[in-house]
Amino acid sequence: MPTPEHVVIIGNGVAGITAARHIRRISDKKITVISAESDYFFSRTALMYVYMGHMKWEHLKPYEDWFWEENRIELKKARVKKIETASKMLFLEAEEKMSYDKLILATGSVPRFLGIEGEDLSGVQGLVSKQDLELLEENTRKCRSAVIVGGGLIGVELAEMLHTRNIPVTMLIREKAFWQNALPLKDAQFISRHIESHGIKLMHETELKKINGQNGRVRSIETSSGEEIECDLLGISVGVKPNIAFLEGSEIETDRGILVDEYLQTNVSDIYAIGDCAQHREPIKGRKDIEAVWYTARMMGETVAQIICGKPFKYNPGNWFNSAKFFDIEYQTYGNVSANPEEDEQHFHWEHRDGTKAMTIAFDPASSTFLGINTYGIRMRHEVFDRWLTEKRDLEYVLRHLRQANFDPEFYDRHEKEIFSSFKENMMKPQT
Ligand SMILES: Cc1cc2nc3c(=O)[nH]c(=O)nc-3n(C[C@H](O)[C@H](O)[C@H](O)COP(=O)(O)OP(=O)(O)OC[C@H]3O[C@@H](n4cnc5c(N)ncnc54)[C@H](O)[C@@H]3O)c2cc1C
């Protein structure tokens, strides 16, 4: 019997593990997953719940430990230092080597830092990995106050985590409101108010200028407005970037991420890249070249498995969607709601007076075609919006049928009339 092809996957996150599971489902290939971070795959999005005491580390593992042996997926805990593409050889730490026939790079993200002096002081950190979480435990043992730089998804999680330990938090946000580079201004202001209602101090239009240390530890920071704020913890959450530093000097072409075509193939044959580390050379219309989110990482994992097993079809993530939580408000987004819409996109924003529910609907003003929706504190049905986006429904249809998309039909019994009249009133006026 010929020896089965050896597929090596670097990275045991959702992208790499999805690829491994699907390759096993449809083939008999030898599969090895290498990762430096943890023995087993865990749910990165749930890291915060371990710190907050809602879950134990074991609860983050979606599969029992026996799953891997049973499915003949070999796990190797090691860091890959170098890839030699000509000989198809990986160089690991401790002088180990491993050969591959096909290689999948699923190396995820690392936190982005600002390049300011003092970022190497203890007490200054990002939050991406298991090791970051462990460091946060250590850094907050005797923490009296914290500053977080950056108003994004990881920043708000960090704020909520620290809040559960009664650590006063100040967030420095460069924009006018929270996560305004992704959310329209009214949505961003709505979320800023919500975060503030939990006792987090938000400093909008404020940047980090200087980090002051004492005995190797962060002691205070200075802001762009000249204020000095004392802190024992400085959380840097200004975004993540693809984890590709170890590819320097290899034949594999990179830009901000690892460049791939629509078949997730790099410039080197038999090497693919998926998940947070991949950068699409020609992104699908309306999509970004790097999409560092859970579900696209999973979709790329499924797609590359098919491709490697001889069923080449193009990566097609369908309509954009995502969800997150800002303290106790759940956020969902479907389709395209631009932070700064151009002429071909108009927004209708509605907010409940209690400050816990809101939505923004985007549409094309010329054709009235529904483009997308952001909802806050209202749970929507993915499959309904996905269908409406694919069918290119018009705005009026969507508004009239919102009830179908809602998990809580009573919500619309109570608010439908108000949303409709607000829509009529707002759409008569020019948008601000
Ligand atoms: C705190 C936090 C909260 C998040 N919340 C959400 C959310 O609510 N919704 C959402 O959609 N997304 C969220 N994300 C993003 C989401 O978790 C990622 O998009 C997703 O996990 C990416 O998966 P991946 O498989 O590409 O990479 P990763 O999960 O990052 O896995 C990559 C693995 O490869 C390993 N590795 C890298 N280089 C090497 C090497 N040279 N040798 C060996 N191993 C290596 C890494 O150590 C890591 O274990 C969140 C991320 C964080 C950090």
Side-chain angles (χ1 to χ4, degrees):
M1 242 178 43
T3 39
E5 196 175 40
H6 188 197
V7 179
V8 177
I9 302 169
I10 309 179
N12 71 350
V14 61
I17 289 301
T18 305
R21 286 196 303 109
H22 283 261
I23 293 169
R24 174 52 66 243
R25 195 176 288 172
I26 53 179
S27 82
D28 219 25
K29 294 183 195 299
K30 176 173 155 79
I31 304 170
T32 306
V33 180
I34 308 178
S35 205
E37 182 181 9
S38 58
D39 290 327
Y40 298 104
F41 169 47
F42 68 91
S43 173
R44 194 171 303 285
T45 54
L47 273 180
M48 67 186 293
Y49 300 111
V50 175
Y51 183 87
M52 299 197 306
H54 300 180
M55 286 173 126
K56 291 205 165 114
W57 175 257
E58 301 82 77
H59 301 148
L60 260 49
K61 291 190 285 184
Y63 302 96
E64 302 285 346
D65 294 352
W66 51 258
F67 176 88
W68 310 104
E69 201 182 328
E70 176 117 338
N71 286 284
R72 291 174 292 123
I73 297 173
E74 206 167 297
L75 304 179
K76 169 98 186 154
K77 193 165 179 206
R79 183 170 304 282
V80 177
K81 287 195 306 189
K82 197 177 133 198
I83 302 173
E84 210 173 78
T85 53
S87 60
K88 292 193 161 184
M89 192 64 77
L90 305 178
F91 294 82
L92 318 182
E93 278 167 338
E95 307 307 313
E96 258 186 283
K97 286 189 207 171
M98 188 185 288
S99 65
Y100 63 86
D101 297 307
K102 293 228 157 53
L103 178 66
I104 302 175
L105 304 170
T107 53
S109 295
V110 287
R112 215 155 61 73
F113 282 85
L114 293 159
I116 291 181
E117 203 181 323
E119 279 181 320
D120 55 346
L121 289 168
S122 47
V124 183
Q125 69 164 103
L127 178 67
V128 167
S129 64
K130 179 176 188 274
Q131 287 70 26
D132 291 335
L133 188 77
E134 287 159 2
L135 185 63
L136 188 69
E137 273 295 347
E138 208 178 296
N139 277 335
T140 52
R141 212 159 280 150
K142 287 185 191 152
C143 179
R144 284 158 304 169
S145 63
V147 170
I148 296 170
V149 186
L153 292 177
I154 295 179
V156 71
E157 285 195 2
L158 200 46
E160 185 174 354
M161 290 158 83
L162 300 173
H163 187 63
T164 59
R165 305 259 176 120
N166 297 317
I167 298 169
V169 177
T170 303
M171 289 181 86
L172 309 188
I173 294 173
R174 193 177 52 184
E175 292 77 21
K176 284 197 180 103
F178 175 80
W179 207 27
Q180 202 202 325
N181 51 4
L183 301 180
L185 182 60
K186 285 180 184 167
D187 296 28
Q189 287 170 331
F190 168 82
I191 295 299
S192 273
R193 287 195 294 278
H194 180 68
I195 296 172
E196 281 169 331
S197 77
H198 283 271
I200 307 297
K201 184 174 174 192
L202 299 191
M203 296 179 73
H204 297 119
E205 297 181 273
T206 307
E207 292 182 48
L208 176 68
K209 267 278 153 309
K210 195 160 182 265
I211 306 170
N212 300 317
Q214 195 172 32
N215 303 327
R217 250 204 108 73
V218 59
R219 178 180 55 78
S220 70
I221 59 103
E222 291 171 38
T223 70
S224 50
S225 51
E227 204 172 323
E228 181 168 358
I229 305 170
E230 284 194 14
C231 59
D232 317 290
L233 179 86
L234 177 60
I236 307 280
S237 60
V238 293
V240 294
K241 59 178 187 182
N243 187 355
I244 55 169
F246 76 108
L247 295 178
E248 223 178 278
S250 82
E251 298 290 307
I252 301 164
E253 208 183 325
T254 59
D255 175 33
R256 287 175 297 127
I258 304 165
L259 291 166
V260 293
D261 65 13
E262 64 262 65
Y263 296 101
L264 305 170
Q265 164 105 43
T266 67
N267 63 311
V268 179
S269 62
D270 294 332
I271 303 185
Y272 303 79
I274 55 173
D276 281 16
C277 67
Q279 178 179 351
H280 301 273
R281 284 180 195 275
E282 287 178 30
I284 292 161
K285 193 171 175 287
R287 306 289 295 240
K288 294 198 180 114
D289 55 354
I290 300 176
E291 290 184 329
V293 295
W294 183 267
Y295 91 93
T296 50
R298 203 179 51 207
M299 278 183 174
M300 284 187 239
E302 281 174 30
T303 306
V304 85
Q306 299 292 333
I307 293 168
I308 279 189
C309 294
K311 294 181 197 152
F313 64 82
K314 292 180 182 173
Y315 171 62
N316 179 7
N319 297 311
W320 169 254
F321 70 94
N322 202 8
S323 66
K325 257 186 112 189
F326 305 124
F327 279 81
D328 38 14
I329 288 191
E330 187 171 344
Y331 154 74
Q332 295 183 332
T333 185
Y334 302 98
N336 185 31
V337 185
S338 309
N340 297 298
E342 306 213 337
E343 275 159 25
D344 56 355
E345 181 182 334
Q346 202 170 329
H347 288 177
F348 158 59
H349 177 83
W350 172 83
E351 246 175 76
H352 191 265
R353 67 193 78 80
D354 73 3
T356 65
K357 297 170 206 74
M359 68 170 70
T360 291
I361 299 183
F363 60 98
D364 178 340
S367 62
S368 271
T369 310
F370 168 65
L371 300 175
I373 186 167
N374 287 348
T375 64
Y376 305 88
I378 312 162
R379 288 198 74 203
M380 293 297 192
R381 291 181 192 277
H382 176 201
E383 67 280 9
V384 176
F385 279 116
D386 196 44
R387 196 174 64 239
W388 288 347
L389 286 162
T390 303
E391 292 169 351
K392 298 192 184 324
R393 290 289 182 182
D394 68 33
L395 178 65
E396 180 150 352
Y397 178 92
V398 169
L399 279 169
R400 288 207 181 282
H401 294 83
L402 269 182
R403 199 175 194 283
Q404 277 181 24
N406 195 255
F407 267 108
D408 171 16
E410 275 183 29
F411 174 85
Y412 281 98
D413 293 343
R414 280 181 275 130
H415 302 298
E416 196 174 7
K417 231 171 139 183
E418 188 190 319
I419 293 172
F420 242 94
S421 53
S422 163
F423 168 68
K424 281 186 186 152
E425 192 190 316
N426 276 275
M427 294 303 102
M428 304 280 180
K429 292 189 288 186
Q431 294 292 294
T432 50

